Amino acid sequence: MNQPYTVYAGVGGTFRLILLSVIAAVASIYILMLGQGDIRHTGTVGRFASTTFGFVFFKIIAVILLAMAIGAAGKALKSLLSLKPVIEVNSEGIVDRTTMYSPGLIRWEHITGVHYRTILGNHYIAIRVDQHHLESYTSRLNVFQRMILHFNRQSSYADFSIMMNSVKGDWRQITRDIFAIAQQHLPPAVFAEIQMTT
């Protein structure tokens, strides 16, 4: 593979991500501003939230959600303004810059599975890596990024997820192109794990 396959951030998908992040941030700030007396004591959630433990629990969730929203919006804006591609596929592996917890270069020899996934209307290329090498990728991330990555791994059953919603162009075709390139670099046993259902 002489020339790397490059994908840049798209305006529409990126602004959608920023808008969703702003909505999440506003909701978080609203929750943080609520006093314990402002919460209705009806329903299971209301009764739980009106307890001291529940009140503190929701405040912590709101802080985490706010931090995630600010981080996601910042990363989306940075991707849009940057001249670097958000995805680059070359002879070494896949360089991912689509999310705030992206590890950078994921080497072909460390990849043990690649899947297409849709979670809550968002489209991803989910990548599993050899667990012996996982630490070498997570060590590149700060504590907050590791926390987000841990949550992502629990929800997507993948070590890393490349977000396809914010790319420029047809995300379905780009996903197919990346899978076709992966087939050239991954061993047959690994490529058998690749699933594409778009």
Side-chain angles (χ1 to χ4, degrees), residues 65-90:
L65 183 61
L66 179 62
M68 289 174 62
I70 292 171
K75 175 64 178 176
L77 190 59
K78 182 180 176 183
S79 296
L80 191 61
L81 299 176
S82 174
L83 298 177
K84 288 183 178 180
V86 291
I87 303 170
E88 185 176 339
V89 188
N90 55 40

Side-chain angles (χ1 to χ4, degrees), residues 43-62:
T44 306
V45 175
R47 283 192 297 273
F48 175 70
S50 64
T51 66
T52 302
F53 176 77
F55 183 73
V56 172
F57 174 80
F58 279 109
K59 293 290 185 178
I60 292 170
I61 294 297

Side-chain angles (χ1 to χ4, degrees), residues 7-20 72-73 75-82 84 86 163-171 174:
V7 181
Y8 290 85
V11 176
T14 303
F15 275 122
R16 176 177 170 266
L17 181 58
I18 292 171
L19 179 62
L20 291 173
K75 175 64 178 176
L77 190 59
K78 182 180 176 183
S79 296
L80 191 61
L81 299 176
S82 174
K84 288 183 178 180
V86 291
M163 182 180 280
M164 301 305 292
N165 289 57
S166 58
V167 299
K168 183 178 182 180
D170 181 359
W171 66 266
I174 292 168

Side-chain angles (χ1 to χ4, degrees), residues 94-97 101-106 137 140:
I94 302 173
V95 180
D96 173 31
R97 300 184 187 98
Y101 51 83
S102 297
L105 174 65
I106 304 171
Y137 292 102
R140 304 173 191 174

Side-chain angles (χ1 to χ4, degrees), residues 6-197:
T6 55
V7 181
Y8 290 85
V11 176
T14 303
F15 275 122
R16 176 177 170 266
L17 181 58
I18 292 171
L19 179 62
L20 291 173
S21 299
V22 169
I23 292 169
V26 170
S28 301
I29 292 168
Y30 175 75
I31 292 169
L32 289 171
M33 292 176 65
L34 281 176
Q36 196 164 0
D38 298 328
I39 300 170
R40 291 185 180 181
H41 296 247
T42 58
T44 306
V45 175
R47 283 192 297 273
F48 175 70
S50 64
T51 66
T52 302
F53 176 77
F55 183 73
V56 172
F57 174 80
F58 279 109
K59 293 290 185 178
I60 292 170
I61 294 297
V63 169
I64 293 171
L65 183 61
L66 179 62
M68 289 174 62
I70 292 171
K75 175 64 178 176
L77 190 59
K78 182 180 176 183
S79 296
L80 191 61
L81 299 176
S82 174
L83 298 177
K84 288 183 178 180
V86 291
I87 303 170
E88 185 176 339
V89 188
N90 55 40
S91 58
E92 293 182 276
I94 302 173
V95 180
D96 173 31
R97 300 184 187 98
T98 59
T99 65
M100 57 195 258
Y101 51 83
S102 297
L105 174 65
I106 304 171
R107 296 189 171 278
W108 292 121
E109 61 265 28
H110 297 162
I111 295 175
T112 59
V114 182
H115 298 269
Y116 163 77
R117 290 196 183 277
T118 301
I119 303 172
L120 299 175
N122 295 308
H123 308 285
Y124 299 93
I125 295 177
I127 298 176
R128 290 196 316 267
V129 298
D130 183 337
Q131 297 304 296
H132 293 91
H133 294 96
L134 183 60
E135 179 60 30
S136 67
Y137 292 102
T138 58
S139 63
R140 304 173 191 174
L141 308 175
N142 62 40
V143 174
F144 179 69
Q145 289 172 314
R146 287 188 194 191
M147 183 180 71
I148 303 301
L149 179 62
H150 177 74
F151 174 77
N152 175 69
R153 291 179 69 203
Q154 298 301 314
S155 61
S156 68
Y157 307 103
D159 296 313
F160 301 104
S161 297
I162 301 174
M163 182 180 280
M164 301 305 292
N165 289 57
S166 58
V167 299
K168 183 178 182 180
D170 181 359
W171 66 266
R172 291 178 183 84
Q173 186 57 53
I174 292 168
T175 302
R176 290 188 187 97
D177 292 345
I178 292 172
F179 281 9
I181 296 168
Q183 188 174 14
Q184 299 170 21
H185 293 279
L186 295 174
V190 173
F191 189 73
E193 289 293 315
I194 290 185
Q195 298 175 4
M196 177 66 179
T197 55

